[in-house]
Coordinates of all heavy atoms in Angstrom, one line a residue:
R65 N -125.2 -25.6 6.4 CA -124.7 -24.3 6.7 C -124.6 -23.5 5.4 O -124.1 -24.0 4.4 CB -123.3 -24.4 7.4 CG -123.4 -25.1 8.8 CD -122.0 -25.2 9.4 NE -121.2 -26.3 8.7 CZ -120.0 -26.7 9.0 NH1 -119.4 -26.1 10.0 NH2 -119.4 -27.7 8.3
T66 N -125.0 -22.2 5.5 CA -124.9 -21.3 4.4 C -123.9 -20.2 4.7 O -124.0 -19.6 5.7 CB -126.3 -20.7 4.1 OG1 -127.2 -21.8 3.8 CG2 -126.2 -19.9 2.8
R67 N -123.0 -20.0 3.7 CA -122.0 -18.9 3.9 C -122.0 -18.0 2.7 O -121.6 -18.4 1.6 CB -120.6 -19.5 4.1 CG -120.5 -20.3 5.4 CD -119.0 -20.8 5.6 NE -118.9 -21.5 6.9 CZ -117.7 -22.0 7.2 NH1 -116.7 -22.0 6.4 NH2 -117.7 -22.7 8.4
G68 N -122.5 -16.8 2.8 CA -122.6 -15.9 1.7 C -123.4 -16.4 0.5 O -124.5 -17.1 0.7
R69 N -122.9 -16.2 -0.7 CA -123.7 -16.6 -1.9 C -123.2 -18.0 -2.4 O -123.8 -18.5 -3.4 CB -123.4 -15.6 -3.0 CG -123.9 -14.2 -2.7 CD -123.6 -13.2 -3.8 NE -124.1 -11.9 -3.5 CZ -124.0 -10.8 -4.3 NH1 -123.4 -11.0 -5.5 NH2 -124.5 -9.7 -3.9
G70 N -122.3 -18.6 -1.7 CA -121.9 -20.0 -2.2 C -122.9 -21.0 -2.0 O -123.9 -20.8 -1.3
R71 N -122.6 -22.2 -2.5 CA -123.4 -23.4 -2.3 C -123.4 -23.8 -0.8 O -122.4 -23.8 -0.2 CB -122.9 -24.5 -3.1 CG -123.8 -25.8 -3.0 CD -123.2 -26.9 -3.9 NE -123.3 -26.5 -5.3 CZ -123.0 -27.3 -6.4 NH1 -122.4 -28.5 -6.1 NH2 -123.1 -26.8 -7.6
P72 N -124.6 -24.1 -0.3 CA -124.7 -24.5 1.2 C -123.9 -25.7 1.4 O -123.7 -26.6 0.6 CB -126.2 -24.8 1.4 CG -126.9 -24.0 0.3 CD -125.9 -24.1 -0.9
T73 N -123.3 -25.8 2.6 CA -122.5 -27.0 3.0 C -123.4 -28.0 3.8 O -124.0 -27.6 4.8 CB -121.3 -26.5 4.0 OG1 -120.5 -25.6 3.2 CG2 -120.5 -27.7 4.4
V74 N -123.5 -29.2 3.3 CA -124.3 -30.2 3.9 C -123.3 -31.3 4.5 O -122.7 -32.0 3.7 CB -125.2 -30.9 2.9 CG1 -126.1 -31.9 3.6 CG2 -126.1 -29.8 2.2
P75 N -123.2 -31.4 5.8 CA -122.3 -32.4 6.4 C -122.8 -33.9 6.0 O -124.0 -34.1 5.7 CB -122.4 -32.2 7.9 CG -123.0 -30.8 8.0 CD -123.9 -30.7 6.8
L76 N -121.8 -34.8 6.2 CA -122.1 -36.2 6.0 C -122.0 -37.0 7.2 O -121.2 -36.6 8.2 CB -121.1 -36.8 4.9 CG -121.1 -36.1 3.6 CD1 -119.9 -36.6 2.7 CD2 -122.4 -36.4 2.8
E77 N -122.6 -38.2 7.3 CA -122.4 -39.1 8.4 C -122.6 -40.5 7.9 O -123.2 -40.7 6.8 CB -123.4 -38.8 9.5 CG -124.9 -39.1 9.2 CD -125.8 -38.9 10.4 OE1 -125.4 -38.5 11.5 OE2 -127.0 -39.1 10.2
V78 N -122.2 -41.5 8.7 CA -122.4 -42.9 8.3 C -123.9 -43.2 8.3 O -124.6 -42.8 9.2 CB -121.7 -43.9 9.3 CG1 -122.0 -45.3 8.9 CG2 -120.2 -43.6 9.2
A79 N -124.3 -43.9 7.3 CA -125.7 -44.3 7.2 C -125.9 -45.8 7.7 O -125.0 -46.6 7.7 CB -126.2 -44.3 5.7
D80 N -127.1 -46.0 8.2 CA -127.5 -47.3 8.7 C -127.9 -48.2 7.5 O -129.1 -48.3 7.2 CB -128.6 -47.3 9.7 CG -128.9 -48.6 10.4 OD1 -128.1 -49.6 10.1 OD2 -129.9 -48.7 11.1
S81 N -127.0 -48.7 6.7 CA -127.2 -49.5 5.6 C -127.9 -50.8 5.9 O -127.8 -51.2 7.1 CB -126.0 -49.7 4.8 OG -126.1 -50.7 3.8
K82 N -128.6 -51.4 5.0 CA -129.3 -52.6 5.2 C -128.4 -53.8 4.8 O -128.9 -54.9 4.6 CB -130.6 -52.7 4.4 CG -131.6 -51.6 4.9 CD -131.9 -51.8 6.4 CE -132.9 -50.7 6.9 NZ -133.1 -50.9 8.4
W83 N -127.1 -53.6 4.7 CA -126.2 -54.7 4.4 C -125.8 -55.4 5.7 O -125.8 -54.9 6.8 CB -124.9 -54.1 3.8 CG -125.1 -53.6 2.4 CD1 -126.2 -53.5 1.7 CD2 -124.0 -53.0 1.6 NE1 -126.0 -52.9 0.5 CE2 -124.7 -52.6 0.4 CE3 -122.7 -52.8 1.8 CZ2 -123.9 -51.9 -0.6 CZ3 -122.0 -52.2 0.8 CH2 -122.6 -51.8 -0.4
I84 N -125.4 -56.7 5.5 CA -124.9 -57.5 6.6 C -123.5 -58.0 6.2 O -123.2 -58.4 5.1 CB -125.7 -58.8 6.8 CG1 -127.1 -58.4 7.4 CG2 -125.0 -59.7 7.9 CD1 -128.0 -59.7 7.6
L85 N -122.6 -57.9 7.1 CA -121.2 -58.4 6.9 C -120.9 -59.5 8.0 O -121.1 -59.3 9.2 CB -120.2 -57.3 7.2 CG -120.5 -56.0 6.4 CD1 -119.9 -54.8 7.1 CD2 -120.0 -56.1 5.0
A86 N -120.6 -60.7 7.5 CA -120.4 -61.9 8.4 C -118.9 -62.1 8.7 O -118.1 -62.0 7.8 CB -121.0 -63.2 7.7
G87 N -118.7 -62.4 10.0 CA -117.3 -62.7 10.4 C -117.2 -64.0 11.0 O -118.1 -64.3 11.9
I88 N -116.3 -64.9 10.6 CA -116.2 -66.2 11.1 C -114.8 -66.4 11.7 O -113.8 -66.3 10.9 CB -116.5 -67.3 10.0 CG1 -117.8 -67.1 9.4 CG2 -116.3 -68.7 10.5 CD1 -118.1 -67.9 8.2
A89 N -114.6 -66.7 13.0 CA -113.3 -67.0 13.6 C -113.2 -68.4 13.9 O -113.9 -68.9 14.9 CB -113.2 -66.1 14.8
I90 N -112.5 -69.2 13.2 CA -112.4 -70.7 13.3 C -111.4 -71.0 14.4 O -110.3 -70.5 14.5 CB -111.9 -71.3 12.0 CG1 -113.0 -71.1 10.9 CG2 -111.6 -72.8 12.2 CD1 -112.5 -71.5 9.6
G91 N -111.9 -71.9 15.4 CA -111.0 -72.4 16.4 C -110.8 -73.9 16.3 O -111.5 -74.5 15.5
T92 N -110.0 -74.4 17.2 CA -109.7 -75.9 17.1 C -111.0 -76.7 17.5 O -111.2 -77.7 16.9 CB -108.6 -76.2 18.1 OG1 -107.5 -75.4 17.8 CG2 -108.2 -77.7 18.0
S93 N -111.7 -76.2 18.4 CA -112.9 -77.0 18.8 C -114.2 -76.2 18.7 O -115.3 -76.8 18.6 CB -112.8 -77.4 20.3 OG -112.6 -76.3 21.1
R94 N -114.1 -74.9 18.6 CA -115.3 -74.1 18.5 C -115.1 -72.9 17.5 O -114.0 -72.5 17.3 CB -115.8 -73.5 19.8 CG -116.1 -74.5 20.9 CD -116.8 -73.9 22.1 NE -118.2 -73.5 21.7 CZ -119.3 -74.3 21.6 NH1 -119.1 -75.6 21.8 NH2 -120.4 -73.9 21.3
T95 N -116.1 -72.5 16.8 CA -116.0 -71.4 15.8 C -117.0 -70.3 16.2 O -118.2 -70.6 16.5 CB -116.3 -71.9 14.4 OG1 -115.2 -72.8 14.0 CG2 -116.4 -70.8 13.4
H96 N -116.5 -69.1 16.2 CA -117.4 -67.9 16.5 C -117.9 -67.3 15.1 O -117.1 -67.0 14.3 CB -116.6 -66.9 17.3 CG -117.4 -65.7 17.7 ND1 -118.3 -65.7 18.7 CD2 -117.4 -64.4 17.2 CE1 -118.8 -64.6 18.9 NE2 -118.4 -63.7 18.0

Side-chain angles (χ1 to χ4, degrees):
R65 291 177 290 184
T66 302
R67 294 181 179 177
R69 298 181 180 179
R71 180 178 296 180
T73 299
V74 184
L76 301 170
E77 68 177 3
V78 176
D80 185 10
S81 168
K82 297 303 179 183
W83 292 1
I84 295 176
L85 310 155
I88 302 169
I90 295 173
T92 306
S93 59
R94 301 193 68 81
T95 291
H96 183 75

